[in-house]
């Protein structure tokens, strides 16, 4: 199977979201391959995991260059995630590849993501009311080793059992464990810790799974440039743009995991985008314009620059000839 243009385009959309938010890759890419492009589930999962080994380091490299990665946090998460990924794969084998067992895990994960998305919206509202700004720098963060390792363990176990990414859940847990850290730094840290975790999962996919290299190549061609663009945007954009994008992707991932079909999911998320745009046009934009006008009126007219003293019409007395 050669390159598929439609898979390339779809992968570009997912790659952009991954670069922007660090979340949603496994929850969106694999269902897209299965439902829209009729790729067999085992091949879709394995091909996506192998492609992610190329895609994730691109986003991580951008954030490392921008200084938005906490490497100590990455190390602690990896300490928990990589061993648990292999344990998850072992548990999956013990369940004899039970689809029912995987579905139960995915439904639980979806419910957790939906609750997390709701909690993120609530926290955003409370932050707006309190005026609290979450812009802590990487070097100012006080690491919490035990919770950070536990986050990695949870994410690794989910990857091992379901063979899909857990970036959405890990982003939520990181946001609440380190609430003062800015969103772009959390995205960078999550993308970087996903590199060894994805590599471990991909090794298992290459060993035990069925990889369609044409699908893998199409995903790489579409997603790598897109994740580069998304990572450049997320490493520079302020929290007020990145956090809503993260919440949007996590909500979509949660709906997908609990079993919402692709087309209804598309209508729901499209409706949210339309409602958000209408709210911004009808409420946010007029308020900002009114506030800007009030500031302009309060500032008053600009002071006129000081004028030079008029030149003397008569020459100095020294220049007047003696009479």
């Amino acid at each position: 199977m050669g390159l598929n243009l439609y898979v390339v385009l779809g992968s570009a959309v997912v790659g952009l979201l991954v670069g922007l938010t660090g979340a949603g890759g496994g929850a969106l890419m694999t269902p897209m391959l299965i439902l829209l492009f009729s790729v067999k589930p085992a091949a879709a999962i394995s091909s996506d995991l192998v492609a992610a080994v190329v895609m994730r380091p691109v986003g991580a490299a951008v954030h490392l260059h921008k200084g938005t990665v906490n490497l100590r946090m990455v190390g602690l998460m990896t300490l928990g995630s990589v061993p648990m990924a292999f344990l998850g794969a072992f548990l999956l084998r013990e369940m004899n590849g039970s689809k029912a067992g995987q579905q139960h895990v995915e439904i639980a994960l979806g419910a957790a993501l939906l609750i997390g998305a709701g909690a993120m919206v609530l926290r955003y509202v409370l932050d707006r009311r309190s005026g609290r700004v979450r812009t802590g720098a990487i070097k100012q963060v006080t690491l919490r080793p035990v919770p950070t390792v536990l986050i990695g363990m949870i994410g690794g176990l989910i990857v091992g059992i379901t063979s899909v990414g857990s970036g959405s859940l890990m982003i939520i847990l990181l946001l609440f464990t380190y609430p003062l850290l800015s969103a772009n730094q959390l995205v960078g840290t999550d993308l970087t810790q996903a590199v060894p975790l994805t590599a471990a999962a991909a090794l298992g996919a290459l060993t035990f799974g069925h990889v369609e290299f044409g699908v893998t190549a199409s995903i790489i061609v579409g997603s790598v440039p897109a994740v580069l663009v998304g990572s450049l945007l997320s490493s520079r954009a302020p929290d007020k743009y990145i956090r809503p994008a993260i919440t949007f992707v996590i909500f979509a991932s949660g709906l997908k995991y609990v079993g919402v079909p692709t087309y209804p999911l598309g209508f729901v998320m499209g409706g949210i985008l339309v409602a958000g745009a209408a709210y911004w046009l009808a409420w946010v934009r007029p308020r900002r314009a009114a506030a800007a006008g009030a500031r302009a009126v309060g500032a008053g007219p600009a002071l006129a620059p000081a004028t030079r003293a008029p030149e003397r019409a008569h020459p100095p007395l020294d220049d007047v000839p003696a009479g």
Side-chain angles (χ1 to χ4, degrees):
M1 179 180 177
L3 290 178
N4 185 313
L5 178 60
Y6 297 108
V7 174
V8 171
L9 294 176
S11 301
V13 175
V14 176
L16 182 65
L17 292 174
V18 170
L20 276 172
T21 67
L28 300 177
M29 187 77 79
T30 301
M32 178 192 74
L33 294 173
I34 296 171
L35 299 174
L36 297 184
F37 304 112
S38 301
V39 179
K40 293 181 180 180
I45 291 170
S46 300
S47 301
D48 179 27
L49 284 172
V50 174
V53 176
V54 180
M55 178 178 68
R56 295 277 180 174
V58 173
V62 171
H63 281 274
L64 284 167
H65 178 70
K66 296 292 182 181
T68 54
V69 178
N70 189 315
L71 291 175
R72 292 178 61 200
M73 195 183 298
V74 168
L76 289 172
M77 294 177 70
T78 303
L79 182 65
S81 65
V82 172
M84 292 302 287
F86 287 106
L87 175 61
F90 171 76
L91 293 176
L92 180 61
R93 191 187 70 176
E94 291 299 305
M95 291 188 294
N96 295 320
S98 169
K99 289 186 178 180
Q102 291 187 59
Q103 287 176 351
H104 291 323
V105 173
E106 290 181 8
I107 290 173
L109 174 60
L113 293 180
L114 293 176
I115 294 171
M120 289 175 67
V121 172
L122 177 62
R123 167 155 272 177
Y124 173 76
V125 172
L126 295 176
D127 285 349
R128 287 290 301 271
R129 290 185 176 181
S130 66
R132 195 177 189 184
V133 180
R134 301 181 183 278
T135 56
I138 287 287
K139 61 184 179 181
Q140 297 172 343
V141 174
T142 300
L143 280 179
R144 303 176 62 189
V146 174
T148 305
V149 173
L150 287 175
I151 291 172
M153 292 175 68
I154 293 170
L157 185 64
I158 292 171
V159 168
I161 293 177
T162 65
S163 298
V164 297
S166 58
S168 301
L169 181 62
M170 296 173 87
I171 278 284
I172 290 176
L173 296 175
L174 285 173
L175 281 168
F176 284 90
T177 305
Y178 300 98
L180 294 180
L181 200 59
S182 63
N184 58 3
Q185 294 172 353
L186 285 173
V187 170
T189 298
D190 181 67
L191 279 172
T192 304
Q193 70 81 29
V195 173
L197 175 57
T198 303
L203 180 61
L206 286 169
T207 305
F208 303 109
H210 173 61
V211 178
E212 288 193 9
F213 289 99
V215 175
T216 301
S218 299
I219 295 173
I220 291 173
V221 170
S223 64
V224 169
V227 79
L228 176 62
V229 173
S231 299
L232 286 170
L233 292 174
S234 65
S235 66
R236 298 177 180 180
D239 266 27
K240 65 180 180 180
Y241 299 122
I242 298 301
R243 285 184 186 259
I246 292 174
T247 306
F248 180 83
V249 173
I250 286 174
F251 182 67
S253 301
L255 291 178
K256 192 63 204 174
Y257 278 128
V258 298
V260 176
T262 299
Y263 291 112
L265 176 63
F267 284 120
V268 169
M269 303 314 295
I272 291 175
L273 287 176
V274 171
Y279 171 76
W280 187 82
L281 290 172
W283 181 254
V284 177
R285 186 178 179 184
R287 290 191 65 185
R288 288 182 179 177
R295 286 195 297 268
V297 171
L303 295 176
T307 57
R308 281 174 49 187
E311 295 185 1
R312 288 173 293 185
H314 304 286
L317 291 178
D318 293 342
D319 297 338
V320 177

